[in-house]
Amino acid sequence: MSGLAIHEARLLGRLHALGQIGRDGENRLTRLAASDTDRAGRDALVGWLREADLDVVVDRIGNIFGIWRTHANAAEAPLLLGSHIDTVIDAGIYDGCYGVLAGLEVIETLRAAGLTPVRPIAVAAFTNEEGVRYAPDMMGSLVHAGGLSVEEALASIGTDGTTLGAELERIGYAGVAEPGFLRPHAYVELHIEQGPVLEREGVPIGAVATLQGISWQRVVMEGTANHAGTTPMSMRRDAGYAAARVIAFVNEQARKAHDPSVATVGCIAFEPNAINVIPARATFTVDLRDPDEARLAAGEAALAIFLDEVAASEGVSVSVERLARFSPVAFDAGIVALIEQAAAGRGLAYQRMTSGAGHDAQMMARMAPAAMIFVPSLGGISHNPREHTPQADLVAGANVLLDVVACLADAKGDRHGYGS
Ligand code: GLV
Ligand code: MN
Ligand code: MN
């Protein structure tokens, strides 16, 4: 234990202040990556990083870093904390923002205590974690970790037809640093669970040991527009009905595979989208997730076979575009154990768990030992304005992060020394 405590009011105050940035006339919170509202959120964050006297660096993919280094430790690899501040549509205030602001809070707490860590400590807000406007998700951290070239990422076309690179320029967050410039000693991300496990178990701290694989695809089915009243059922090439069959199929497949396989069709558009016209085109997304790589791959293979069957039986054509594909990740056992020790040191119950959501830590694990700390989400609700975590849990999670950071930033020597 560090013997220190984070400044609760400062952390909660910033979390609520950031949660007011990007609200529309109906009070809905939306900060899609590289949008005007994202710019406003970024500006607030950068203001806080500067107030804390951190070096602020923005890289070419728009990732923002606040770095605390001293003359004595500048040559050491930094300990990196972070998450994201972009949101889904009509979001809650905690997803991502909690990890970024808690990272900043931990740095300020250590600094105010006069501690001089053996290595720099930095906090990152990664661009486009949500992947709502530009695919793939976790894009900023993926580029940072070398999994996608910055050129390819900047060329991504958004759901609104914009290009990420041009939008980052427009909002003033196309930085000059080369992604990957900061090679961390380790990466730790604090996040709300976004699922029901911790609340159900009555446990305040999750030590996240694994994160499930993610498969995102966009499917386009093309049939023929025709009159809804005059076209006999046997003569239809109905792209809408074909899509509905696929929606039912992926749902049933995941149910058959049992927990924890999940499948979602979250987006669908019909063309021409009229009450009395058979859909000529259906465009929809498929999100499959599974902690087991073989089962995830089997789900994808079954979908591919079913798409061919539907195409043949409904007389439609099918094209599939892969938007994202990430294998399950096992986090660093040493850091996971450290999180458990830190929770125990504060008298907090904890449990090991798998993350159902995607996170930047999943990408950072490619370049450094990484792990995550979860706190409960009431009702398991997230990606929804009703997302909520009690203040006591938010504070407890940030204090556990503080202790983990105090330990990792003081650890000298080989960067794998505490890991496995
Ligand atoms: C990110 O929020 C994801 O898991 O989709
Ligand atoms: Mn998140
Ligand atoms: Mn999210």
Side-chain angles (χ1 to χ4, degrees), residues 73-80 118-121 182-186 415:
N73 71 18
E76 299 290 329
L79 171 62
L80 185 61
V118 164
R119 58 186 66 262
I121 307 176
L182 186 154
R183 294 204 69 80
H185 164 75
R415 82 203 240 296

Side-chain angles (χ1 to χ4, degrees), residues 250 262-266 285-288:
V250 295
V262 286
T264 307
V265 173
T285 54
V286 180
D287 174 320
L288 304 179

Side-chain angles (χ1 to χ4, degrees), residues 84 88 95 129-130 137-138 194 214 216 287 289 356-359 383:
H84 61 98
V88 294
D95 180 356
E129 190 274 349
E130 294 291 5
D137 53 348
M138 283 98 60
Q194 309 183 273
I214 302 178
W216 279 6
D287 174 320
R289 304 196 193 200
H359 294 291
H383 285 183

Side-chain angles (χ1 to χ4, degrees), residues 198-357:
L198 292 175
E199 185 191 32
R200 189 180 64 214
E201 305 294 327
V203 170
I205 299 293
V208 186
T210 50
L211 191 152
Q212 67 181 348
I214 302 178
S215 162
W216 279 6
Q217 299 176 73
R218 182 187 291 125
V219 181
V220 180
M221 302 190 115
E222 308 231 30
T224 305
N226 210 338
H227 198 291
T230 62
T231 315
M233 297 310 283
S234 60
M235 290 178 65
R236 293 177 179 221
R237 295 177 62 234
D238 184 340
Y241 175 63
R245 285 188 59 189
V246 178
I247 295 173
F249 176 80
V250 295
N251 185 289
E252 283 155 18
Q253 283 292 110
R255 283 172 198 265
K256 262 193 246 157
H258 297 299
D259 265 1
S261 299
V262 286
T264 307
V265 173
C267 280
I268 188 158
F270 287 162
E271 290 168 54
N273 203 31
I275 188 167
N276 54 358
V277 183
I278 295 165
R281 179 182 294 134
T283 304
F284 58 97
T285 54
V286 180
D287 174 320
L288 304 179
R289 304 196 193 200
D290 207 301
D292 182 82
E293 172 59 33
R295 217 167 35 212
L296 183 60
E300 291 176 306
L303 172 60
I305 292 168
F306 188 74
L307 287 172
D308 285 345
E309 280 171 26
V310 171
S313 65
E314 302 303 331
V316 297
S317 67
V318 177
S319 60
V320 177
E321 183 190 353
R322 185 174 283 297
L323 300 177
R325 179 63 162 85
F326 301 118
S327 293
V329 170
F331 287 126
D332 184 85
I335 303 178
V336 175
L338 193 55
I339 292 166
E340 292 175 328
Q341 283 163 26
R346 287 195 178 255
L348 297 163
Y350 59 86
Q351 74 176 56
R352 282 195 181 206
M353 57 193 305
T354 294
S355 170

Side-chain angles (χ1 to χ4, degrees), residues 42-66:
R42 287 164 173 266
D43 288 351
L45 174 65
V46 167
W48 291 321
L49 297 175
R50 290 201 201 287
E51 266 172 37
D53 209 16
L54 304 185
D55 292 341
V56 176
V57 178
V58 180
D59 71 13
R60 290 176 61 206
I61 194 66
N63 295 325
I64 299 171
F65 297 84

Side-chain angles (χ1 to χ4, degrees), residues 150-175:
V150 65
E151 289 75 20
E152 214 178 316
L154 291 173
S156 301
I157 307 292
T159 49
D160 51 4
T162 57
T163 303
L164 175 58
E167 284 292 273
L168 283 172
E169 292 275 358
R170 188 182 67 76
I171 68 165
Y173 280 91

Side-chain angles (χ1 to χ4, degrees), residues 18-37:
L18 185 52
Q20 288 312 310
I21 298 174
R23 294 205 173 254
D24 65 15
E26 282 155 35
N27 206 32
R28 295 173 4 138
L29 171 64
T30 305
R31 291 195 306 267
L32 297 185
S35 63
D36 288 328
T37 53

